[in-house]
Amino acid sequence: MNKNYRVSADIGGTFTDIVYQDVETGRCGATKVLSTPDNPALAVLQGIDTVLDDGDGLAFFVHGTTVGLNALLTRRGSKVALVTNENFRDIYTIQGNDRGEIFSIRWNKPEPLVSLEHTYTVGGRIAASGEELEPLCTSDLDAVVDAYKAEKYEAIAVSLLFSFNNAAHELAVRDYLQERLPDVQIVLSHQVSPEWREFERTSTTVTDAYLAPVVRKYIRTLLDEMNDKLPDDGTLHVMESNGGVMTAATASETPLQTLLSGPVGGAIGGKALSALTGRNNLICVDMGGTSFDASLVIDGLPSASNEAMLEGLPIQMSVVDIHVIGAGGGSVAWKEAGAARVGPQSAGSTPGPVCYGRGGTEPTVSDANLVLGRLDGANFSGGDMALDRDAAAAALAKLGQDFGMDAEQMAHGVIDIVNAKMADAIRTITIQRGIDPREFSLVAFGGAGPAQAAALAEELEISEVIIPVHPGAFSAWGMLQTDVRHDFKETHYNFLDLVDAGDLETAFARLQDKGRDFLVAEGIETGRISYERAIDFRYHGQEYVLTIQLDDGPMDMDKIRADFDAAYERQYGHNSPENRVEMANIRLAALGQLERPENAPPERETARPARERDVWFAGSARPTAIIDRNSIGEGDRISGPAIIEEVTSTTLLPPGWTAQLIEGGHMSLVKEGQA
C-alpha cells in the first residue's frame, strides 16, 4: 500500500470533515460525512474510505475531537475523588472570589465537578518556599482506599499546597494509592499545572481527572478501529488546544489538552492563510452544524491565552483564544415567552434539520436557508444528499403561525436572529477588548459560515470577507498546517529588578531539556526542534498578568521591561513605567517541525453550468445566478446577487457585493464602493 496522503479529520456535532493532501503534489481535497455520535470513529473511517482509493494509504493522520469538551459540557465525565491538604477541604467547593456576573442577584457559583462529600484530606504541609513544615500522614489516605469500591471512583485528583515548588508529598500520595488501587487513574496537580493559585490549579487537576478515562477510552477505540489504516509507525495525532498536535499516546496521558481540539484547527488555518495572503489581521468564524466559533489572528498569529474558562470553572493551560456559542446550521428555531429564539440546542446529525428527512421536526437555520433558496436541495454536499424543501417550509410555516408569518418570512426571521447572535459573539472578542473589527478581514468557513458571512460583515462594517478553499472543511485543512507542540511552565515569583539574568537562563534551560526529551520521545529529530520563551509580568500590587514573548538569544532585562510597558499600553491604553514589575511564571513552548509539502492551489475540476433560480433577499425573491466555484478563474469578477456552490459549502453573494479569487485560490468578497 502506498503511504501517499496526509489526512485530517474534524469531528463535529453534525458533520465529520475530511481533508486529504497528496504528499507529492501538495494538492488538497475535502469531503463531509454525517457524524456518528455513538462511535465517532465510524464517521472518520467512512470519510477516509470515501477519499482514498484502493492502494492509497496514510503517511500522516491528525484529527480534532470534541469528546472531552462534550463530556465536560454535558457533565458525563468520570466519577472523581479529590485529595487535598488537611484543613483545606473546601478549596475547590468555595472556589475563587470572582463573581461571574457582579450585578446579578441571581448568579450562582458554577457547579463543581467534585462535590465536598467526595473530597478527602491528608495531613502534612509544604511551605510556599518548598520547605516541608509537617511530614505527610499517609494513613489518612486509607479513607480514600476504603471509599473507592463503594463510590466506584474512576479517577483520583491530588492537589496539595505549593506542590509546584516541592512535589514530594504529591508523589508520595500517588505511590501510596497506586500500591493499594493499581487500576485507578491518579492525576497530580504539579504535573498537570505546575503554577501558583491553589483554586485554579485544583480546578485544572480535577478537570483532567474528570476527562481522563473518557478520552482514553475514545482514543483506544479509534486506534483499534483504524489499526489497518494508520501510517507505518502506527502514530495517530490529535490536535491540542494550544494549536499544536500530539500523538494519541500523549493525548491519553494529558487529556486536558484535547478540550478545544476541534475548534482550534480553524485558527491555525487562519494563521496559514494570513501568511499566504499578506492580511495580518483576521477574524476567523467557523459556523458548523452545531456551534459558531470565533477567533482572532493579530499580526499574523492566533490570539492565545494561558487560561480558559469552561462552564465557569478555570483551567490553567495554553489555549488558542476561541469564543464558542450554540449557533450553527442545525440550530433549532423555537418560541419562548412570545419571542422567537434560535439555538443553542441543535438538531445535530441525528435527527438533523427537517430538510434532511431523518426524522427532524423542528425548523433549523439550514431549513431557513433552503426555503429562501440559498441552498440547492438537489446539490447539497456535492449532490450526496437531497434536501426536502417542502418539509422545511411546512415546519417554518407552523412556527410562523404564532407570529403571523408565512414560511419565507419566518425563514428571514430565523436568519436575522442567528446573524445577530453571531455578530454579538464577534463583538465579544473585538469591541469588548478594545479591538476595532473594521480593521480586520472576516474569514468565514464551516459548512454554514459562507452563507452568513456577508450579512455579518455588513453588521460589523467589515470591508472584506475571505472564503477559503474547501471552506466547509477549513478547520480540518488547518490541522495539516500545524506542528507538534508542548508547553511547559514554572512559577518564579520575584520583582523583575531583583531577577538575575543567569538564573533565568538556567530556569529556561531546565524547561528546554524537558521539552527536547518530550519531543524526541514523540519521534521528532533534534534538528527540527525549536523553542519559544515567555514570562508572565504585572505591575506591583496588581492581580493579573500579561505574558511577554522573549527574543531569541541572551536575556536583555532592560528590553524585557520595555516590552512589558509597551504591551501594557497596547492592552489598556496606558502604562506605569515608574512602578516596579513582578514576575510570576516562566513559559516555554517546545515545537517539533513536521515534514509537509507546500500547499498547491486546488485543481480546476469540471464545473456545473451556470444556472438561475429565485433567491430571497430583503423580503422578496429575485432571479439569482448559481455558479460553480470551479468555474471561477483568476481575474474573473462575480457580481451579486449570486450563489457560489462547492462540495463542502455554499457562499451567498448578496446584491451589491463582488467576488474574485486571490492567492492560493481563496476567494475575496467585497461590498461595492469598499474595494
Side-chain angles (χ1 to χ4, degrees), residues 20-39:
Y20 53 102
Q21 182 182 38
D22 191 307
V23 297
E24 297 294 334
T25 67
R27 295 194 183 278
C28 293
T31 192
K32 301 173 80 72
V33 296
L34 286 170
S35 294
T36 50
D38 291 339
N39 185 355

Side-chain angles (χ1 to χ4, degrees), residues 211-225:
L211 301 178
V214 176
V215 172
R216 279 187 168 186
K217 179 181 178 181
Y218 162 73
I219 289 176
R220 189 163 52 246
T221 300
L222 186 62
L223 285 170
D224 290 344
E225 297 278 2

Side-chain angles (χ1 to χ4, degrees), residues 14 21 57-58 69 84 87 129 136 148 178 180 215 255 260 262-263 303 340 356 410 503 525 567 574:
T14 303
Q21 182 182 38
L58 302 180
L69 181 61
T84 189
N87 299 323
S129 63
L136 187 71
Y148 170 70
Q178 275 193 337
R180 291 154 179 80
V215 172
L260 297 178
S303 176
Y356 283 13
M410 191 68 240
D503 292 342
E525 299 175 0
H574 65 92

Side-chain angles (χ1 to χ4, degrees), residues 614-649:
D614 285 346
V615 177
W616 289 71
F617 295 95
S620 61
R622 58 185 296 177
T624 300
I626 311 300
I627 300 169
D628 190 326
R629 183 164 175 170
N630 284 308
S631 69
I632 303 175
E634 293 185 18
D636 292 349
R637 192 178 182 88
I638 309 299
S639 296
I643 300 289
I644 301 173
E645 295 184 338
E646 54 189 301
V647 172
T648 64
S649 190

Side-chain angles (χ1 to χ4, degrees), residues 524-535:
I524 304 297
E525 299 175 0
T526 55
R528 306 181 74 87
I529 296 176
S530 60
Y531 308 95
E532 295 177 355
R533 302 178 299 176
I535 303 178

Side-chain angles (χ1 to χ4, degrees), residues 380-440:
F380 186 71
S381 189
D384 292 335
M385 290 181 65
L387 304 182
D388 189 341
R389 185 188 186 281
D390 291 341
L396 284 161
K398 182 179 179 181
L399 179 63
Q401 288 176 357
D402 294 331
F403 304 101
M405 297 180 176
D406 60 23
E408 287 76 13
Q409 291 171 325
M410 191 68 240
H412 266 299
V414 169
I415 298 301
D416 289 344
I417 291 170
V418 78
N419 284 345
K421 289 182 64 174
M422 294 188 294
D424 280 344
I426 295 173
R427 292 187 184 100
T428 298
I429 64 171
T430 54
I431 294 172
Q432 290 187 18
R433 300 179 184 178
I435 296 172
D436 188 347
R438 295 173 296 184
E439 298 175 358
F440 288 67

Side-chain angles (χ1 to χ4, degrees), residues 193 195 204 304-309 315-321 485 487 489 534-536 545-549 585 587:
S193 183
E195 186 177 344
T204 305
S305 173
N306 294 318
E307 184 175 273
M309 190 72 70
I315 299 173
Q316 292 177 322
M317 67 176 181
S318 298
V319 296
V320 173
D321 197 3
R485 170 174 174 155
D487 292 294
K489 58 188 176 182
I535 303 178
D536 294 344
V545 299
L546 278 180
T547 301
I548 305 302
Q549 299 295 321
N585 306 296
R587 301 179 184 275

Side-chain angles (χ1 to χ4, degrees), residues 2 28 41 76 101 125 137 202-203 208 214 245 300 320 333 341 360 391 466 544 595 622 629 646 666 674-675:
N2 297 318
C28 293
R76 294 179 179 175
E101 300 173 25
R125 281 290 299 276
C137 183
T202 300
S203 175
D208 189 270
V214 176
V245 298
V320 173
R341 304 274 190 256
I466 297 175
Y544 296 102
E595 294 187 32
R622 58 185 296 177
R629 183 164 175 170
E646 54 189 301
H666 304 293
Q674 295 182 337

